[in-house]
Amino acid sequence: MKFRVERDALAEAVAWTAKSLPNRPSVPVLAGVMLRVTDGNLRVSGFDYEVSSQVTVEVQGDADGAALVSGRLLAEITKALPAKPVDIAAVGAHLELVCGSARFTLPTMPVEDYPALPEMPQSAGTVDAAAFATAVSQVAIAAGRDETLPMMTGVRVELSGDTLSMLATDRYRLALREIQWRPDDPEVSINALVPARTLNDTAKALGPLGGEVTLALAQGAAGEGMVGLAGGTRRTTSRLLDGANYPPVRSLFPATHNAEARVSVSTLIEVVKRVALVAERTTPVLLSFSADGLVVEAGGSEEARASEAMEATFAGDPLTIGFNPQYLIDGLANLGAQTAVLSFVDAFKPAVISPAGEDGEVIPGYRYLIMPIRVSR
């Protein structure tokens, strides 16, 4: 194998692939990235039996072939190279990389020991890449991080006609985003539970490329289903989580509300961050709404305390409700709007945060539900 490639194209391809490699692989070859050159195209791929990543780059190929090298090391080297063409050649049990006057010799691993990458599942449809990336980031923030509860670490993707819905919850908050997409089958009705981290990382990488993302799904027995995402010259596949017993979380959104507030998103985030400086890790911030506006406070009678007032439009009986400050900030920061609408049933039931337009009306498509923390005053 011997080829020449532009430094930036190589660095981006290796970084994209190496990002999904395992930190502690079960077998050494899974820490590698496969470089395979055929007909003037370099295919860089990685696989850990859960997630596969693959990107194709045009190169000046002198000799076709393949080599398997440490992904993390190659990513660090390519990122640090000078902005000059890179010459790479497989020589015996080593890979030689030359860029300008910089020369690296890396050990290779046996190509024949590397597992075959899974095929892309059958396409289900396409969605705008930028809109998809934004939507995924709005939902993935609410997914759980506790690996002992794998179901909660996923994003539930619901495909119904031309509507693509995504939900995620860690039991303390719940995010729902609905966007339009172009299904291959107009009558499609499929649900899948996709690992949130993989979905978010992939969507974030494909979004800036523009164009469309192809969404592919293969349903199977528990733990055997697969999702595929492809955009431009990049593609990722991932095993689905078992979502057979995913709770009916949509029913958590209240049908009606008794009070409603409209606040500036940026101002409330700043106020909550300031006031929360005196809050212990498990201590909520209190939001007190009235016709006079909003007062945000934190801290107890024995320790440091803080309070700050800000403008808010409020309709309903005066209300004081407590929230985890970081969960509140996460919801506000991902609204994608300058104004937030907070809807309440009472101080002990979940509140819903929605984005609002310049006219103050709720923009449909995104809702963030947050559980209150009971406080004794």
Side-chain angles (χ1 to χ4, degrees):
M1 182 186 76
K2 188 176 182 182
F3 63 91
R4 169 172 280 204
V5 61
E6 289 300 319
R7 177 258 183 192
D8 288 351
L10 177 65
E12 283 182 20
V14 175
W16 149 266
T17 306
K19 194 170 185 180
S20 60
L21 295 178
N23 290 320
R24 292 183 292 276
S26 53
V27 287
V29 291
L30 296 184
V33 293
M34 177 75 79
L35 307 177
R36 188 179 295 277
V37 176
T38 47
D39 301 327
N41 283 314
L42 166 67
R43 200 165 70 236
V44 185
S45 49
F47 183 39
D48 68 352
Y49 290 111
E50 297 286 334
V51 179
S52 79
S53 301
Q54 186 174 296
V55 59
T56 306
V57 181
E58 285 188 8
V59 298
Q60 293 175 315
D62 292 335
D64 290 355
L68 182 65
V69 293
S70 166
R72 294 252 151 75
L73 180 58
L74 187 62
E76 289 177 6
I77 290 171
T78 52
K79 186 171 67 174
L81 290 175
K84 296 177 180 178
V86 183
D87 290 297
I88 292 180
V91 180
H94 292 83
L95 187 79
E96 291 194 351
L97 186 153
V98 179
C99 181
S101 58
R103 177 184 293 271
F104 293 87
T105 301
L106 307 178
T108 58
M109 294 177 274
V111 170
E112 60 273 14
D113 291 350
Y114 200 69
L117 266 66
E119 293 294 321
M120 274 285 281
Q122 184 178 350
S123 169
T126 58
V127 60
D128 179 80
F132 182 64
T134 301
V136 171
S137 67
Q138 289 179 306
V139 172
I141 193 71
R145 311 283 193 274
D146 186 354
E147 296 296 337
T148 62
L149 295 169
M151 191 186 299
M152 295 296 154
T153 65
V155 171
R156 181 176 165 89
V157 178
E158 300 178 350
L159 309 177
S160 178
D162 63 356
T163 301
L164 188 160
S165 304
M166 290 181 281
L167 302 110
T169 181
D170 60 3
R171 299 179 300 162
Y172 305 106
R173 58 218 172 131
L174 163 66
L176 166 64
R177 182 74 166 98
E178 295 175 336
I179 58 174
Q180 297 298 297
W181 78 308
R182 288 166 289 283
D184 293 343
D185 174 10
E187 304 296 316
V188 68
S189 180
I190 305 174
N191 300 328
L193 192 60
V194 184
R197 184 180 163 205
T198 301
L199 183 64
N200 196 30
D201 287 348
T202 306
K204 195 186 297 181
L206 296 178
L209 301 178
E212 294 188 331
V213 171
T214 299
L215 182 62
L217 281 171
Q219 302 286 58
E224 292 180 8
M226 185 171 289
V227 62
L229 297 164
T233 58
R234 302 180 180 193
R235 55 159 260 199
T236 290
T237 66
S238 172
R239 286 174 67 166
L240 296 175
L241 297 168
D242 181 8
N245 298 315
Y246 198 78
V249 291
R250 279 180 184 260
S251 61
L252 294 175
F253 287 104
T256 59
H257 58 266
N258 299 324
E260 192 173 76
R262 280 170 172 74
V263 296
S264 162
V265 170
S266 57
T267 305
L268 182 53
I269 289 175
E270 289 176 12
V271 170
V272 171
K273 282 182 177 178
R274 272 195 295 272
V275 170
L277 291 173
V278 301
E280 297 291 330
R281 191 163 174 267
T282 56
T283 308
V285 292
L286 294 179
L287 278 64
S288 299
F289 293 93
S290 67
D292 297 327
L294 166 63
V295 176
V296 182
E297 42 190 334
S301 55
E302 301 300 321
E303 60 270 357
R305 283 182 289 172
S307 69
E308 186 168 345
M310 61 173 282
E311 289 185 4
T313 305
F314 182 70
D317 294 331
L319 175 82
T320 297
I321 189 167
F323 295 121
N324 175 303
Q326 190 55 53
Y327 294 171
L328 179 58
I329 291 169
D330 287 344
L332 293 167
N334 284 279
L335 282 183
Q338 295 181 351
T339 303
V341 176
L342 286 77
S343 306
F344 309 98
V345 176
D346 58 41
F348 308 109
K349 290 196 171 63
V352 178
I353 305 174
S354 308
E358 292 182 5
D359 58 359
E361 293 300 310
V362 171
I363 302 172
Y366 183 59
R367 288 182 288 170
Y368 181 92
L369 179 143
I370 178 169
M371 303 295 286
I373 298 176
R374 290 180 179 243
V375 286
S376 54
R377 302 190 69 187

